[in-house]
Amino acid sequence: MTDSIVLCRPDDWHLHLRDGAMLAAVTPFSAGFGRAIIMPNLVPPVVTGAQAAAYRDRIRAALPETAALVPQMTLYLTDSTDPADVTAAHEAGIIRAVKLYPAGATTNSASGVTDFDRVRPVLEAMAGAGIPLCVHGEVTDPAVDIFDREAVFIDRVLDPIRRKTPGLRVVMEHITTSEGVAYARSGGDDLGATITTHHLVINRNAILAGGIRPHYYCLPVAKRETHRLALREAATSGEARFFLGTDSAPHPDSAKLQPCGCAGCFTAPNTMSILAHVFEDEDALDRLEAFASLNGAAFYGLPPNEDRIRLTRRETPAAYPATIAAGDETVTVFDPGFPLYWHLEDA
Ligand code: DOR
Ligand code: ZN
């Protein structure tokens, strides 16, 4: 049995670091990734290049001195985003991508897009400049069942946008369905898809069977088992279009454990150990590097990280905190429900 593997340092192509005390508390747990796409859904959201640069500087200040992480900033697309601001922020090297949240789809998405025709000039400018669009792919139509919102979004919104905007590079963020996997596979090299750690591990039973478990609630919500299996097959396939975006999304327990609790799983502290476990289960440890370290960088037109990490399988499970403190608040770390024998080390 393989008990030690060495990978190019992984990247996280979808990460929430928040701001203030939460930023200070959670950022060190992502410091071992080489690069991370930083989500802009702060309150208020990151909508200008100047705001993205200021946020990048706050992230840098929150990183330990030895951190590998280089934050890759994004702008939050709104109905009134100016195409010239987006291309200027990209040309200045401030942003790597733009994030599309349909208004009301998820946490802090109130300023998101309400009318996809209004953002057409921005999308055309992005296609021209080669700036990727990271898409939260769920419709917000209350008539659509929450478990169908990803599949309906692909038909009603994503496919029409892609057809009308040739050349637009799109990342389907945190896909959760076999329909998402199939649509990602139908595209060319202008289409990628991130898969989270938690969606490889849980299905909707984890949230709802035997009691309601808010720490497994995220958006898009975990689906039935057939979809989880489709995601595992995609992630471990080695195909270039699939790559890691943890969507690690910390919330204080005081906001999760509520009659109306927030969506988000905080996986930054144990993501690589969980992924090694999943890839070992699927007999695909030799493809973990493609998923976590190579495919995303290639999609974004970047070289792989030059340094390496080692994952070693030991008899004693890897330790990680059950909770962390963030200011006066507590944040619960994602519990995969099994011991983690793969330990993350520098190579
Ligand atoms: O579960 C989620 N949490 N999904 C999202 O899309 C947003 C995120 C957050 O910001 O908490
Ligand atoms: Zn997210």
Side-chain angles (χ1 to χ4, degrees):
M1 186 183 65
T2 312
D3 59 5
S4 190
I5 54 172
V6 174
L7 317 177
C8 284
R9 186 177 291 284
D11 299 308
D12 183 350
W13 300 103
H14 184 132
L15 177 64
H16 298 267
L17 291 177
R18 317 298 192 201
D19 216 342
M22 186 66 91
L23 171 72
V26 303
T27 300
F29 290 101
S30 293
F33 286 94
R35 292 155 294 202
I37 287 270
I38 308 298
M39 288 296 127
N41 63 334
L42 304 182
V43 190
V46 178
V47 293
T48 67
Q51 287 168 342
Y55 185 32
R56 178 198 59 203
D57 293 345
R58 297 199 294 283
I59 293 167
R60 285 180 180 156
L63 282 167
E65 254 176 42
T66 53
L69 190 77
V70 181
Q72 311 286 306
M73 307 311 292
T74 58
L75 290 184
Y76 184 119
L77 185 62
T78 74
D79 285 352
S80 49
T81 299
D82 180 347
D85 287 349
V86 172
T87 48
H90 185 250
E91 267 165 38
I94 298 169
I95 61 156
R96 179 70 63 197
V98 171
K99 179 67 190 267
L100 186 162
Y101 289 104
T106 187
T107 310
N108 302 337
S109 62
S111 317
V113 175
T114 64
D115 178 349
F116 295 99
D117 286 331
R118 285 186 63 177
V119 296
R120 169 137 309 288
V122 185
L123 302 184
E124 272 159 18
M126 288 170 59
I131 307 169
L133 180 71
C134 299
V135 178
H136 182 111
E138 288 190 286
V139 290
T140 54
D141 180 349
V144 178
D145 189 278
I146 188 163
F147 291 102
D148 298 332
R149 288 181 181 188
E150 178 171 299
V152 173
F153 182 90
I154 291 168
D155 289 343
R156 280 195 201 164
V157 182
L158 182 58
D159 193 57
I161 285 179
R162 291 188 58 244
R163 282 177 196 279
K164 281 187 212 158
T165 329
L168 181 65
R169 299 181 65 67
V170 170
V171 184
M172 301 170 69
E173 297 293 330
H174 42 52
I175 55 170
T176 59
T177 58
S178 53
E179 289 90 343
V181 170
Y183 188 76
R185 283 190 166 132
S186 76
D189 60 10
D190 56 343
L191 185 62
T194 58
I195 301 177
T196 77
T197 308
H198 47 285
H199 288 112
L200 295 173
V201 173
I202 59 164
N203 63 29
R204 62 196 193 178
N205 285 1
I207 315 166
L208 296 170
I212 190 156
R213 290 188 182 74
H215 294 301
Y216 292 128
Y217 173 62
C218 66
L219 286 171
V221 70
K223 309 296 192 296
R224 64 167 66 239
E225 179 66 357
T226 48
H227 296 292
R228 185 185 75 101
L229 295 178
L231 297 175
R232 280 170 81 107
E233 188 276 321
T236 59
S237 68
E239 283 169 59
R241 67 188 88 242
F242 298 115
F243 42 93
L244 175 64
T246 66
D247 198 14
S248 179
H251 290 279
D253 285 349
S254 62
K256 294 241 4 136
L257 308 178
Q258 286 290 334
C260 184
C262 293
C265 297
F266 177 48
T267 55
N270 51 16
T271 272
M272 290 311 299
S273 295
I274 298 173
L275 289 174
H277 183 110
V278 167
F279 277 66
E280 182 184 33
D281 268 2
E282 300 291 328
D283 205 12
L285 274 175
D286 57 332
R287 296 199 279 271
L288 179 56
E289 185 178 51
F291 179 67
S293 317
L294 304 179
N295 296 349
F299 181 88
Y300 280 98
L302 298 168
N305 294 306
E306 278 174 14
D307 54 348
R308 288 176 164 64
I309 58 141
R310 178 183 294 275
L311 286 152
T312 303
R313 196 186 206 289
R314 299 190 193 285
E315 280 177 21
T316 321
Y320 60 89
T323 61
I324 65 157
D328 299 336
E329 301 274 7
T330 297
V331 181
T332 296
V333 176
F334 180 75
D335 174 4
F338 45 78
L340 297 175
Y341 294 106
W342 289 93
H343 295 240
L344 174 61
E345 295 153 359
D346 277 328

